[in-house]
């Protein structure tokens, strides 16, 4: 039995131009041939998909997602026995939206690997998943690196349990160690079975008044060497121009949200390093409408920083660095929407402007890059082939070529004409199988309909019974 | 079929002296007769319990428990669909330890009532349960009244949901209203089916620098009148000598932890009010060993207050007020033990000294009162009959008399000789049925064995990877 | 030597109508006569002020000011040896702006009394000053009642020193005591020489979710009786309808900002109590423009409360209660203007809308009351005679009558035509002496020109070097 | 006129052994000759100090003091016009206690330089003073680097003013910049007239969970090169083994508290770098009694770190690195002693154990190093000659040799026999002048007697009227 996509315009990610009137013949999970309709014909036993007037591209990839991204205390407690299910759900939301492969760059290793293996074995549907586990050097969700307030209300045993699940032996304590000592810890961690490695060149917190370096260049080099020695690619979390330069010089293969460098644009010499080393530049871009929203909602200081990030994005496009699509994509509990807890963050941007939605953020990415003048073919490659190359998966993934794994999208509209057209998904094929997108996710947890209010909420006098004390007296500062 | 407890010494709660060589004959859920062994004989069909050398008393009561007392964020989320089960579990722990009736004075009304009704219908085993729901005037668990920090990490929708379940229409907003307006809200709340009413005379928080009044005397009177008009007894939460006096003058039937009045002992005139009105004095007493622990662990200011509370307890014994046993008894999750979150509180007292254990606190109460010179018979009545009287249940409960509900304890040792002997429970009978104590609780949740550590905890470098920043620089104040 | 104001229209505060073509003859500090120009003529040795076309009224009074109102840590430390000078400066700003008498209702007693006595002895110029010292029941500036955060950065000895200066023996600890015990403390405090007494019926903090009562009715009555026994008037700080009613029933002579009662309007029965007891109703009113500003800047909850306060103000005008002008008037350090610390408060209202300016707030008060329909003559009395009556000073102050102390304003415009005309001050006479307003304040401290920036500020990279951490990561809650 | 110290044992800091029966002949501010008593004789006009039986050494130096070290909000406001006077006072306390030269490594540059210049010009007495101004990369006193809480109660203008005075153009914002950009800022700062340069290799905060790097190696090298190009010595603030190694490799001349590297001891390879580069190792050592106190008062985690610091101190002694005496010496306001604000810090150690006392800490340093086995002559050099060498002042200071500046101590006891003997100061000579130690400080501010309590404190009911709320309810977490 085989599958034939017939009569499509194929944008294979390799050829300079789209190839018209082509058939893609799939056998098992692999592409057997791509050729003209006439040349390939209709193989015996082949199921035929008539794709005349449509466009076939490689399945989209996302270089930076967090499949278990809703790390709020209540979420991690509520689903404490279902972390794997949450990850599978997110991988299914990704697949439904055209992402056939995602790279999870921070999350609970054990559960990510289990979900990865079950998807890989075909036990459950979902986006192909590669994972890094913890970001080397970061502490866990309930620490100064993420949600410090949790330690004030959670039991010490819960804090320890959650943090240990995320961190294991590669947390902040590495900052005290010598390069040799760090290397030994990283080696141990790699052996647990991660697919690639991510570490912190800069701290996670984005201080208004400067971002610290987490590891020295020698330590960074030692970390990257451990990854390479184990055959893994390495990436870095950067937040300053120095953090960025050090990471590249340490030999990193790709850099997360590399256009975010505080108020100071990336120097030309560092842009050159990207190009010379063909280091993957994972861009975090805002659309014009998104930038407009930011200007109206964030402080002057933060706005200065987003402006620099936009300049960087444009300069990276200009430079010729290998661009990579990513958005820190995550799912959130239904009650999180518009939660005041996040209201002082750019995360409060309305969903149609917010990159971090796992379901739609990649479409916004493409839109944003189009607005900044990125050529259509480079955008397609940023969303497919470049990611495969950066992560060392180019032998199998990222293009529509004979021999590659059959991860494909069929689009109704030409994606090279407008970024918007990536949304016109007519079909998703993964591992040679047509995905029934309407079934996904199969077990909705975070994507379920929000629970209705309990009956007591109806007669609760909320309007005057909760919230902070009001500042009545002008002499007082009730802080 | 009937039940005969034969040959026991009966301390019936009414007679001045224990009655020796008596039989208690139970038919259905009622005591049919109490008389000499010879007089009663062995009724046909009666199951006989040979109680020679043992002691029979009325089942113990607890005037103030919180069956859902572990209100930490993680607990309320983890068990969000099992509040009723948590309450039943606690009621079973109480029953197992000789408490045949408990009065829950603060908790989620809807779930308390459901548990009450299921126990009452015999669907599940458990201590007989009467409940007040919310304390009129208090906000919910995630508010300034209980755990303010929760609002900093929980979603607004969760905060609202939890608070509304506890508070409904009788929270802090009542403080803005006139007596008539408050009365109307209380009337609505009573109609939901609570068994008695509790309100705040003083605020919940115990300020070092004084405790506020929550409601004016007129409002308090209006609240109490609503309760009485509905046939319910009313109690008040008090923290100051003025709060106490106002509550008694408002007509309260009993006062929670009435010996806790900050640094100022209760005036004689107020002690007199207790006696004249026969107002139930719910005492919260520490044993000598407990006081010794406090002296070594709390601030001078707090110690001053506990000293005054001890003086009050002794004065109340002396005064002749009706004393009531209670301890705010609650169960806590296994991981809570020794949690640093509670370490700055008297709640950190070791379990063998801590009154608040639902399983054992009542035994400590009896021990403490014995040490303060309370006569044995008054202690027995404080733990049984007085509570029944104060809550208007004396027709049915609280003594070993013909016609009463057959809630009984059989003790191996004489409780009038030493308070310690209340622990020597040989049998618990509730509603005329011998309780299989070993089966309780039937569905252990909080009383289950603590979960073992997850595997990641074994290699987590906790010793140097979490916790607060250390104060290195002596010039700095890192607060 | 004497002084003659000749040919003015006199609005004496007693007559139903203005008296035209009158002379006011002043001898020493007293008014010797008020009569027609012809009748009085020109006494020998009299200095004549030609006031034809002008208006003479009694000097304005302010029933509630805080002459040392800037209680921020830096201010109390910077001027730690000059509290008396700060108070004198404020009294001079008041006098310059037509306030010949002010009542300080919260401040450091010892320094207020010294300033009072020096002004009274003629050693320094300034508004006539009466003071209450502490508000009975409140803690000091660096406490939960005012600026809690100060305790986190100030030395324990400074906190104690400042709080003791404000509080002495009448702070929060009174909340623990019986009526008799409180009365004894108040008696001690009165003997220190205060002019009137103020106590807390409600707590100072204005909680979103209800305001507590600070003292029981019996304690309030005991406090008021101590004041009356010593010949002093008593006032209360109220924040709820119950607090208000209790204070009036306790016998208070006047109530501060009595129109502020949270979201619930004052019931008619309480309005009646004001009228029957002729209790002074100190109103805190916003102008229409001020209300408009509030609606745009405060939360819905706070707006609800301001709306109720406006309803109360209108109802109090309608009721016939004796109205009193006051505004919590205070001076602030020049660097305080637009300080972000106050930005979440109504105190952030622009100066032209803000009642709390000691220099101009009384003019806004008159404007606001005019907008609410208060008749012109009642407003004049609210600003003069009613205050004298409420504080028991009507024998000496508040009207333009022979025998009264000669505290007068000469206005260019008719104040009965428009509230705005109170600003047209042509002359201020106090104790029979024409005040040289341009000299005031004689020793500017808070009213000095703000210090220029130090030289380092010019090259300080402030734009990116201070402030809170920025919320970069949408997964985090950095609270 | 000249000065002759006659008959002393001279320990000149150069010779291997003490020189007995020597005379030191001083002319003007210089040592003219050191020789045998007979050889030098008694020059005409010389004032003779009979030093038989006594010991002469070079004046002590301190490589790391903070002459304006009490940076609490109240202190900086109280003395806002007297920063220079505070610095002079501290320099006089230092001189009185035998420190003839001190190096201020963090403080307000403008005021330090003025004090330096006035001391240097002989206008005021005081320890010879060299200063660095700000630590390149640190923010000011009221920032996350020092006292974060200050921003919650101080006006924005005060925060800005204070921070700008300390920081100028070399604060945290440098962390965003490239090496070239940082170099330009440092160049500008050097031109203001500082004597040496200090920068942050690690952040200031000492995190329990790791300390960040503040500047990359390239930036560090750029900073050091700017210092060297301007003829200044450079030192680094380090907190980790990586921070230390990077700083040495960047070319630093000396390293502050280099033995403090968290829980991880300095590797041998880094110890070798100290020796090869003859980099000044500024040690921060505890005495045995001090360590004992720490073990009883700090957390296990902090204790681990102090243990490592002790190991490092011993290893540095063993290694042969040039050791330097320093203690972060500072003066504090009298009310600071035992202030609870500092109680959670090692700064709470009793004064007799605390290194940071400017008056006595250097004696403790010598005692501590003696206990760790440091040879007496190396200790003497660590306190004199090595500091002069490290800071490039060896031509003028640090030894008792002809031609050097005449900064000398005369001791009653032999300092080579016991470190304790350094306290036996019989005379201090600076610039050839005998110091009248009893006159110092000439204008006591922080060293004045503490102010007596104000009268209100006597009757303030402090015992029950301030402080935090007490945790009454065991269900609550009032955090």
């Amino acid at each position: 039995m085989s599958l034939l996509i017939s009569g499509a315009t194929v944008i294979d990610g390799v050829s300079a131009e789209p190839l018209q009137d082509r058939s893609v013949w799939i056998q098992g999970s692999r592409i057997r041939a791509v050729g003209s309709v006439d040349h390939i014909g209709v193989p015996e036993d082949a199921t035929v998909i008539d794709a005349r007037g449509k466009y076939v591209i490689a399945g989209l990839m996302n270089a930076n997602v967090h499949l278990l991204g809703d790390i709020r205390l209540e979420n991690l407690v509520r689903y404490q026995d279902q972390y794997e299910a949450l990850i599978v759900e997110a991988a299914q939301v990704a697949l439904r939206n055209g992402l056939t492969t995602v790279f999870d760059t921070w999350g609970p290793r054990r559960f990510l690997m289990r979900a990865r293996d079950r998807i890989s074995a075909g036990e459950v549907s979902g986006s192909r998943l590669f994972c890094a586990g913890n970001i080397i050097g970061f502490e866990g969700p309930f620490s100064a690196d993420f949600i410090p307030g949790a330690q004030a209300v959670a039991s010490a045993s819960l804090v320890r349990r959650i943090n240990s699940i995320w961190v294991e032996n590669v947390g902040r304590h590495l900052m005290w160690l010598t390069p040799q000592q760090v290397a030994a810890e990283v080696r141990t961690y790699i052996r647990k079975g991660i697919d690639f490695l991510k570490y912190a060149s800069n701290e996670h917190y984005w201080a208004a008044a400067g971002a610290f370096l987490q590891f020295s260049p020698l330590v960074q080099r030692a970390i990257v060497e451990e990854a390479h020695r184990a055959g893994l690619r390495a990436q870095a979390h950067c937040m300053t121009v120095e953090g960025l330069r050090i990471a590249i010089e340490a030999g990193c293969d790709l850099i997360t949200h590399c256009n975010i460098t505080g108020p100071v644009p990336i120097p030309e010499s560092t842009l050159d390093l990207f190009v010379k080393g063909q280091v993957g530049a994972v861009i975090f871009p805002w659309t014009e409408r998104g930038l407009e929203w930011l200007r109206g909602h964030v402080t002057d200081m933060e706005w200065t920083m987003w402006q620099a990030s936009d300049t960087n994005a444009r300069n990276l496009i200009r430079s010729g660095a290998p661009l990579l699509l990513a958005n820190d994509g995550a799912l959130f509990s239904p009650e999180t929407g518009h939660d005041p807890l996040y209201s002082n963050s750019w995360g409060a941007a309305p969903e149609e402007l917010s990159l971090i939605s796992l379901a739609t953020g990649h479409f916004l990415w493409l839109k944003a890059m189009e607005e900044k003048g990125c050529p259509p073919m480079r955008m397609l490659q940023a969303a497919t082939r470049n990611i495969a190359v950066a992560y060392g998966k180019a032998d199998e993934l990222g293009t529509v070529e004979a021999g590659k794994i059959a991860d494909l999208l069929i689009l109704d509209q030409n994606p090279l004409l407008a970024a918007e057209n990536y949304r016109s998904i007519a079909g998703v094929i993964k591992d040679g199988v047509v995905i029934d997108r309407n079934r996904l996710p199969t077990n909705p947890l975070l994507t379920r309909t929000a629970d209705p209010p309990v009956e007591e909420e109806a007669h609760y006098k909320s309007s005057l019974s909760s919230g902070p004390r009001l500042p009545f007296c002008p002499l007082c500062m009730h802080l």
Side-chain angles (χ1 to χ4, degrees), chain A residues 61 233 385-399 401 404:
Chain A
M61 294 176 159
R233 300 297 169 104
R385 186 187 182 188
N386 291 356
I387 295 176
V389 169
Y391 279 105
K393 309 293 181 195
D395 289 351
E396 306 262 32
L397 299 168
T399 56
E401 293 178 283
K404 291 281 176 83

Side-chain angles (χ1 to χ4, degrees), chain A residues 27-79:
Chain A
Q27 260 194 333
S29 63
R30 299 272 167 173
I31 298 170
R32 170 138 179 196
V34 183
S36 69
V37 169
D38 296 345
H39 182 79
I40 293 191
V42 178
E44 206 175 331
D45 288 350
T47 305
V48 177
I49 297 172
D50 180 355
R52 280 174 297 178
K54 297 191 195 299
Y55 301 82
V56 171
I57 61 173
L60 296 177
M61 294 176 159
N62 189 324
N64 180 16
V65 299
H66 302 299
L67 296 178
L68 204 173
D70 187 343
I71 56 170
R72 288 169 311 137
L73 177 50
E74 67 201 77
N75 209 51
L76 295 188
V77 170
R78 181 173 294 129
Y79 296 107

Side-chain angles (χ1 to χ4, degrees), chain A residues 285-297:
Chain A
W286 287 88
T287 62
E288 289 303 310
R289 282 184 58 214
L291 286 168
E292 202 176 314
W293 182 90
L294 284 173
R295 195 201 304 255
H297 288 79

Side-chain angles (χ1 to χ4, degrees), chain A residues 340-387:
Chain A
L341 288 176
Y342 288 107
S343 67
N344 64 341
S345 149
W346 59 265
E351 190 160 359
E352 71 271 19
L353 301 179
S354 175
L355 260 77
I356 60 159
S357 165
L358 181 66
T360 57
H362 48 297
F363 300 128
L364 273 179
W365 190 97
L366 292 156
K367 173 80 177 159
M369 292 296 276
E370 178 182 54
E371 289 175 356
K372 292 177 212 315
C374 189
M377 194 59 91
R378 282 187 72 195
M379 291 204 301
L380 178 77
Q381 291 173 332
T384 54
R385 186 187 182 188
N386 291 356
I387 295 176

